[in-house]
Amino acid sequence: MIFQLFYIFVGFFIGIIGTIIGAGGGFIAVPMLLWIYPNFNSSYASRVITSCSQLFIFFNALLGSIEHAKVRIIKYKQGLLYSAGAIPALIIGIYINDKISLGWFKIIFGAIIIPISAFSFIRSYHEISTRENPNNILGMIISFFISIFASTLGVGGGILYGPTFAYFLKFDKLIAKATSMFIVGITSFVIILVRTKQNVLPFELAGYLLLVLIFIAVGIIAGYFIEKLLSRQLSCECKLNKKQVCGTCLPKYLFSGIFSVLVSYTLFLLSNIAKSEAFINGEYGKIFLITLLFTAGGSHSSRLGNALSIKFGGSWVMRILAMALGIVGILTIYRGWSGLTGQ
């Protein structure tokens, strides 16, 4: 029970970070799953872990995009065009992922994450001028290559989409992050469909996912009423959809988000999902269960993440995250190499 509560709040934290920087959170979820199950020896271990990660990414990106849509900072035309450019690349990434062992997957993951962390860190210190009409052909090409890496590694790619859109296409930072999350939602959904057809994500587990989504919906509704109550008690009239965020808003969104998480978690416990045979037998079921907990937590973090992004921007988060990712990349390479050499 304690570990389940831990995982659900880890999901909540990942969701906050993802919303701030315009990512689905896979860049944190995948290393965590690799560290939780370092000796997962299935012949298709990397497929299982990355596919479960895409479930978490999709729901985070979906709810984050809904919040961004309310603030009207998504470029839908570019988002759809760039998604169209990304989808063919997803198939390439999935094919590569299918061909590599878990040890090599860890090495490749770390080797790609390290330069991404360096780029993200350097990019966070630069202010870029913006323009209204980006080069859409360039945007589609960028999306194509990012999606190869993203689908190979089981991440959404938002940690790269946002900075590259701002740097090369001259998007405003908030618009770059919001459009990035919109694209990640589309691409992760396509990967989920492919993996379900391949039976990497068994269709029979969809019923449990739908049940958790009901728990999430109840938690969101409960959090909404708590948020309204706190707004009256704190005399806070700020509107997130108008980019109005004051100091009082942040504890309000934090408390209502935590309350939503606890409501969803209570329903999760009452349902006894964790004791279902599908989740007890084998490591696959345990990984899927942790993914559901990540999803239940992350789904309640989008309003707080959006408020933090509007009030403070995402540069400070990106710098801390970039340094952490660099360390994670090095450790992941080490663990992957140790697994290959039997050390």
Side-chain angles (χ1 to χ4, degrees), residues 149-204:
F149 291 125
S151 53
T152 299
L153 302 180
V155 301
I159 195 170
L160 268 180
Y161 279 124
T164 52
F165 286 173
Y167 190 82
F168 293 106
L169 302 179
K170 310 300 182 185
F171 277 29
D172 171 81
K173 281 186 178 180
L174 284 177
I175 292 175
K177 289 183 285 188
T179 306
S180 161
M181 185 162 272
F182 177 70
I183 295 170
V184 167
I186 294 173
T187 55
S188 60
F189 181 69
V190 172
I191 293 174
I192 289 169
L193 291 179
V194 173
R195 289 309 198 186
T196 301
K197 183 167 180 58
Q198 293 177 331
N199 205 36
V200 177
L201 290 173
F203 189 75
E204 58 266 23

Side-chain angles (χ1 to χ4, degrees), residues 1-56:
M1 178 177 173
I2 298 298
F3 283 111
Q4 291 174 8
L5 192 61
F6 169 75
Y7 291 135
I8 203 168
F9 273 104
V10 166
F12 182 69
F13 173 75
I14 295 173
I16 293 171
I17 300 298
T19 304
I20 291 174
I21 66 173
F27 57 93
I28 302 176
V30 170
M32 283 207 67
L33 290 172
L34 289 172
W35 278 73
I36 292 168
Y37 290 104
N39 299 315
F40 185 22
N41 293 319
S42 167
S43 60
Y44 55 97
S46 60
R47 281 195 283 173
V48 172
I49 289 174
T50 55
S51 300
C52 286
S53 171
Q54 292 295 339
L55 280 174
F56 171 71

Side-chain angles (χ1 to χ4, degrees), residues 6-305:
F6 169 75
Y7 291 135
I8 203 168
F9 273 104
V10 166
F12 182 69
F13 173 75
I14 295 173
I16 293 171
I17 300 298
T19 304
I20 291 174
I21 66 173
F27 57 93
I28 302 176
V30 170
M32 283 207 67
L33 290 172
L34 289 172
W35 278 73
I36 292 168
Y37 290 104
N39 299 315
F40 185 22
N41 293 319
S42 167
S43 60
Y44 55 97
S46 60
R47 281 195 283 173
V48 172
I49 289 174
T50 55
S51 300
C52 286
S53 171
Q54 292 295 339
L55 280 174
F56 171 71
I57 291 167
F58 170 69
F59 289 106
N60 265 3
L62 175 64
L63 292 169
S65 295
I66 290 172
E67 292 300 323
H68 289 142
K70 293 177 183 177
V71 191
R72 299 180 181 178
I73 54 174
I74 299 175
K75 282 184 173 288
Y76 291 104
K77 177 184 175 182
Q78 279 72 26
L80 292 171
L81 278 174
Y82 302 166
S83 296
I87 288 173
L90 299 178
I91 307 303
I92 299 174
I94 289 172
Y95 177 80
I96 296 171
N97 182 272
D98 287 348
K99 297 299 180 181
I100 55 179
S101 67
L102 186 59
W104 278 110
F105 173 79
K106 292 177 181 179
I107 292 172
I108 294 170
F109 186 94
I112 293 177
I113 285 295
I114 290 171
I116 287 176
S117 67
F119 171 75
S120 300
F121 185 84
I122 295 169
R123 167 65 189 86
S124 68
Y125 282 96
H126 291 274
E127 292 296 328
I128 306 297
S129 59
T130 61
R131 64 185 179 202
E132 288 297 319
N133 299 309
N135 185 331
N136 290 329
I137 299 297
L138 178 60
M140 293 178 73
I141 294 172
I142 289 171
S143 298
F144 180 87
F145 285 104
I146 289 177
S147 288
I148 293 177
F149 291 125
S151 53
T152 299
L153 302 180
V155 301
I159 195 170
L160 268 180
Y161 279 124
T164 52
F165 286 173
Y167 190 82
F168 293 106
L169 302 179
K170 310 300 182 185
F171 277 29
D172 171 81
K173 281 186 178 180
L174 284 177
I175 292 175
K177 289 183 285 188
T179 306
S180 161
M181 185 162 272
F182 177 70
I183 295 170
V184 167
I186 294 173
T187 55
S188 60
F189 181 69
V190 172
I191 293 174
I192 289 169
L193 291 179
V194 173
R195 289 309 198 186
T196 301
K197 183 167 180 58
Q198 293 177 331
N199 205 36
V200 177
L201 290 173
F203 189 75
E204 58 266 23
L205 293 178
Y208 294 107
L209 179 61
L210 291 175
L211 190 58
V212 170
L213 293 181
I214 293 172
F215 301 160
I216 292 171
V218 174
I220 289 173
I221 293 169
Y224 173 81
F225 284 110
I226 291 295
E227 184 182 313
K228 292 298 180 184
L229 177 62
L230 289 173
S231 294
R232 289 196 295 269
Q233 293 295 323
L234 299 173
S235 300
C236 177
E237 298 180 357
C238 295
K239 302 292 184 183
L240 195 58
N241 60 354
K242 295 182 180 179
K243 300 183 184 180
Q244 298 172 349
V245 179
C246 67
T248 307
C249 291
L250 300 181
K252 175 183 71 175
Y253 292 130
L254 174 62
F255 186 82
S256 61
I258 291 174
F259 183 80
S260 299
V261 169
L262 292 175
V263 169
S264 295
Y265 180 61
T266 301
L267 294 172
F268 182 89
L269 287 179
L270 293 174
S271 70
N272 280 327
I273 283 181
K275 296 180 180 179
S276 301
E277 184 178 351
F279 299 127
I280 293 175
N281 296 327
E283 288 177 318
Y284 182 93
K286 294 175 184 176
I287 290 175
F288 194 84
L289 178 62
I290 291 172
T291 303
L292 291 183
L293 291 167
F294 280 173
T295 303
S299 299
H300 299 298
S301 59
S302 55
R303 289 183 69 77
L304 176 59

Side-chain angles (χ1 to χ4, degrees), residues 106-107 109-111 113-114 324-334:
K106 292 177 181 179
I107 292 172
F109 186 94
I113 285 295
I114 290 171
L325 278 178
I327 295 171
V328 167
I330 293 169
L331 292 175
T332 305
I333 290 174
Y334 171 75

